Amino acid sequence: MTKASNHALPASNVIRSLHKQVILDSTSKPKTSMSELPPFRTDPGFRYLQSPTPDWQFGDGLRTNTPLGKQWKADEEEGFQVFDPAKEEPRDLYKLMTSGITPRPVAFVSTIAKDGTPNLAPFSYFNMCNHNPPMISVSVNNRGKNPKDTARAILDTKEFTVNIISESFVEAANFTSVEAPFEVDEWIGSGLTREPSTIVKPPRVRESGFSLECELYQSVPLAPPATPDEPTSYLIIGLIKLIHVRNAVLDHPKRVVDPSKLRPVARMGDITYSTLGDSFRIPRPQWESVKGDYNVQS
């Protein structure tokens, strides 16, 4: 990370300062101060509902017989605005893309630099990219022309851990995004606990309910086409060596994570985080059950 002071700030100071900021709506106008918002709920917000259009059938497309579908169709009349990335400033593209590509899971990445300096930072350019072999991807933007601390440590040592952030410690995790000098240890300011990993050297976050020990599988420098030798970020592909899951969030008979217990957070645009809300399940169509409909259409 790019960093700004010689000492990590107490997490409480950062949290207090965040409460003085304002939340921006989609028009970037002040909406309300954080201190005026309702307190955070303690009950799990995750629940299952029916899908938006449970009676959808082959070829229906957008159904307009519901208030949601009707309004979505009516909104088409307002048209579209087209953005040409070649004509936009990178900062404006960042704001647009992070507000539209949502929600994004967050990789809470722990590394140890070649000189032994620990680093802990969150990244929302993150996802699972394969399960056989198990792999994840994290994209880390550069600081100017140089890789940030996290990318540099991974490129040098080939090891890192990825930890999923839950609601209960999101402020502590967010603290580690502070712009502090290279030698500053973000773990101290966050107050989170280093848990020794089994295979890799960087520790995992004990408070995380789902952690991955990873080895570097491949790194891809990402650069503008006009300047291919000047990368602006690095795409890190990690091979997962071990997965640590808290028993309290695991559905043991199914060997899967219960989202209502893990309670992960995601990133939206600007400084906004989100939590799990209403969910629904839609079965994947089976070809044998729909090929007859295709024959009728043809």
Side-chain angles (χ1 to χ4, degrees), residues 111-140:
T111 58
I112 296 180
K114 188 166 52 176
D115 67 359
T117 302
N119 185 270
L120 185 64
F123 298 92
S124 67
Y125 295 178
F126 158 65
N127 220 317
M128 162 183 173
C129 59
N130 199 13
H131 70 280
N132 184 26
M135 293 182 178
I136 53 90
S137 64
V138 183
S139 183
V140 183

Side-chain angles (χ1 to χ4, degrees), residues 123-200:
F123 298 92
S124 67
Y125 295 178
F126 158 65
N127 220 317
M128 162 183 173
C129 59
N130 199 13
H131 70 280
N132 184 26
M135 293 182 178
I136 53 90
S137 64
V138 183
S139 183
V140 183
N141 290 335
N142 279 7
R143 178 177 63 243
K145 294 185 178 181
N146 300 312
K148 285 186 177 179
D149 300 347
T150 296
R152 179 167 52 179
I154 294 173
L155 294 174
D156 287 343
T157 68
K158 320 299 184 190
E159 295 183 329
F160 60 104
T161 71
V162 170
N163 308 270
I164 298 301
I165 301 171
S166 293
E167 297 169 8
S168 57
F169 63 95
V170 64
E171 288 91 349
N174 182 73
F175 171 84
T176 66
S177 63
V178 64
E179 300 285 337
F182 170 75
E183 68 275 9
V184 171
D185 185 350
E186 293 86 357
W187 284 90
I188 296 174
S190 74
L192 295 171
T193 311
R194 303 170 219 239
E195 184 71 15
S197 295
T198 305
I199 294 178
V200 302

Side-chain angles (χ1 to χ4, degrees), residues 5 31 41 47 50 54 104 112-113 161 166 195 263-264 281 289 298:
S5 72
K31 187 175 182 180
R41 50 153 181 76
R47 61 175 181 171
Q50 293 184 15
R104 300 186 306 281
I112 296 180
T161 71
S166 293
E195 184 71 15
R263 298 176 71 157
R281 305 178 71 203
S289 66
S298 61

